[in-house]
Amino acid sequence: MSQITNSVHTAGAILSIDLDVIKSNYQRLCQELGDVPCAAVVKANGYGLGVGPVATALWQAGARTFFVAQIDEGIELRAVLPDADIHILVGFLHGSDDAFSQFNLIPVLNSLDQIDRWKGRGRCDVHVDTGMTRLGLAPDEVDQIPDGLDIDVLMTHLACADDKDHPLTHQQIRTFRQVRDVVAHKRASLANSSGVFIGPEAHFDLGRPGCALYGINPTPHQENPMQNPVRLQGKIVQVHEIDTQSSVGYGATHALEAGQKLATIAVGYADGYLRSLSSKGVVYIGEQEVPVVGRVSMDLISIDITGLDCEAGQLVDLIGPHNPPDRLADLCGTIGYEILTNLGSRYKRIYKGE
């Protein structure tokens, strides 16, 4: 008996990811950085889009330096990119010695303890906390960094990069300049996706964008300079003609009137379509915006297709040209990062441009 796979025919939804768009976004960021090299952040499974295809595409586009959050992510990425520089943001955890040496990973050292345990082992990064209060050495600790530590990237992370006029942004840039001038290193890095668009004063020696590679707007108060590489199409599994007053979904939170028409789509919060989109989300059928009605359940959502000609098996756009992740996020009070990193495993994934 042949094995049944998650094909276009059997899947409840199709997730298409355009790798050429991701390459184009990388090149757009390189253009913004000018002569400053551009790394790529591919943590959280390439922001939910698949670290293997995504990292390969970014390598093809010219990226040679990659950042991930966890050590296991670095091990997975090493199998994909044998020649890349792979930096681990969580740092040198206790018991991780063998993983760093075996897979040629570079730790981002976040504390004096990590520095003390790493010294003599080779190349590393050092993270200085200039205002995020999350990871990193305090600026007054940098004079305790031992001589001879082989620091590749001296880095910090902006707390309010999407607001380049925020006082903390300017303070962090000033503090980082001061640290850079007293710590021996090869490259200094501050600019995340939004930081790339602050201007040359934030670029230093290495940009390290993440979300912008995947189409999230790094300049949220302006038009998005990036392209959306993601299209999520859900299948209609049933159409309902409403002939009497009733309701739809758990909790009967949305009332229906006779004459309305609903369609049920095979996507739910188990697939990453957030429950907070209940009666707030929209989908598109062609050029027509259609509202989500009632609660999002684990496997299904309902949409109001009154006046439209739809049938079972038809695909509708949950994410696409008219409703990119940022818009979906706005509708339910979150950020585009969460929309992407929650994309589920039940979709049939199609990679364009492989």
Side-chain angles (χ1 to χ4, degrees), residues 139-157:
D140 61 5
E141 291 181 311
V142 299
D143 60 356
Q144 299 179 56
I145 296 173
D147 294 336
L149 191 67
D150 186 7
I151 302 175
D152 180 6
V153 180
L154 178 69
M155 62 179 285
T156 193
H157 196 68

Side-chain angles (χ1 to χ4, degrees), residues 107-109 115 124-128 137 145 149 151 153-155:
V108 178
L109 304 177
I115 288 173
C124 62
D125 302 335
V126 169
H127 187 165
V128 178
L137 278 70
I145 296 173
L149 191 67
I151 302 175
V153 180
L154 178 69
M155 62 179 285

Side-chain angles (χ1 to χ4, degrees), residues 74-139:
I75 294 170
E76 181 180 4
L77 183 58
R78 176 59 69 207
V80 177
L81 298 179
D83 299 319
D85 277 350
I86 300 174
H87 302 249
I88 310 300
L89 293 167
V90 76
F92 185 42
L93 301 183
H94 287 277
S96 62
D97 309 47
D98 291 345
F100 278 95
S101 59
Q102 180 179 350
F103 296 98
N104 189 22
L105 306 176
I106 303 166
V108 178
L109 304 177
N110 295 297
S111 67
L112 291 173
D113 171 68
Q114 289 189 1
I115 288 173
D116 185 62
R117 289 187 292 105
W118 179 265
K119 62 185 179 184
R121 294 175 179 271
R123 188 163 52 142
C124 62
D125 302 335
V126 169
H127 187 165
V128 178
D129 175 22
T130 58
M132 175 71 94
T133 319
R134 195 177 59 174
L135 287 174
L137 278 70

Side-chain angles (χ1 to χ4, degrees), residues 5-7 10-15 232 265-273 297-300 342-349:
T5 59
N6 185 13
S7 73
T10 58
I14 300 167
L15 178 62
L232 175 59
I265 299 174
V267 171
Y269 58 74
D271 304 293
Y273 195 85
S297 58
M298 183 178 288
D299 310 302
L300 302 166
N342 273 280
L343 290 170
S345 60
R346 296 194 294 189
Y347 303 131
K348 168 62 179 177
R349 292 185 174 226

Side-chain angles (χ1 to χ4, degrees), residues 63-265:
R64 294 296 179 265
T65 300
F66 293 79
F67 287 85
V68 293
Q70 303 289 343
I71 298 168
D72 286 347
E73 292 178 326
I75 294 170
E76 181 180 4
L77 183 58
R78 176 59 69 207
V80 177
L81 298 179
D83 299 319
D85 277 350
I86 300 174
H87 302 249
I88 310 300
L89 293 167
V90 76
F92 185 42
L93 301 183
H94 287 277
S96 62
D97 309 47
D98 291 345
F100 278 95
S101 59
Q102 180 179 350
F103 296 98
N104 189 22
L105 306 176
I106 303 166
V108 178
L109 304 177
N110 295 297
S111 67
L112 291 173
D113 171 68
Q114 289 189 1
I115 288 173
D116 185 62
R117 289 187 292 105
W118 179 265
K119 62 185 179 184
R121 294 175 179 271
R123 188 163 52 142
C124 62
D125 302 335
V126 169
H127 187 165
V128 178
D129 175 22
T130 58
M132 175 71 94
T133 319
R134 195 177 59 174
L135 287 174
L137 278 70
D140 61 5
E141 291 181 311
V142 299
D143 60 356
Q144 299 179 56
I145 296 173
D147 294 336
L149 191 67
D150 186 7
I151 302 175
D152 180 6
V153 180
L154 178 69
M155 62 179 285
T156 193
H157 196 68
L158 291 168
C160 306
D162 56 356
D163 182 359
K164 66 180 181 180
D165 296 322
H166 196 288
L168 182 55
T169 300
H170 298 294
Q171 179 59 54
Q172 286 191 265
I173 293 172
R174 289 193 296 269
T175 301
F176 190 56
R177 284 198 191 111
Q178 294 167 0
V179 170
R180 176 199 60 180
D181 291 343
V182 299
V183 176
H185 63 281
K186 296 182 180 69
R187 301 179 288 177
S189 178
L190 171 140
N192 56 6
S193 289
S194 294
V196 168
F197 290 87
I198 289 175
E201 66 270 26
H203 290 168
F204 291 88
D205 306 314
L206 181 71
R208 50 174 212 280
C211 72
L213 295 167
Y214 314 106
I216 302 299
N217 189 356
T219 57
H221 306 298
Q222 303 175 35
E223 184 177 350
N224 192 350
M226 318 313 295
Q227 302 175 58
N228 172 33
V230 179
R231 187 177 188 186
L232 175 59
Q233 298 171 288
K235 283 184 183 176
I236 294 176
V237 294
Q238 190 170 351
V239 173
H240 305 265
E241 302 277 357
I242 308 304
D243 56 10
T244 187
Q245 190 175 30
S246 58
S247 63
V248 57
Y250 285 118
T253 59
H254 186 87
L256 300 173
E257 301 293 336
Q260 285 185 270
K261 187 162 69 168
L262 299 187
T264 303
I265 299 174

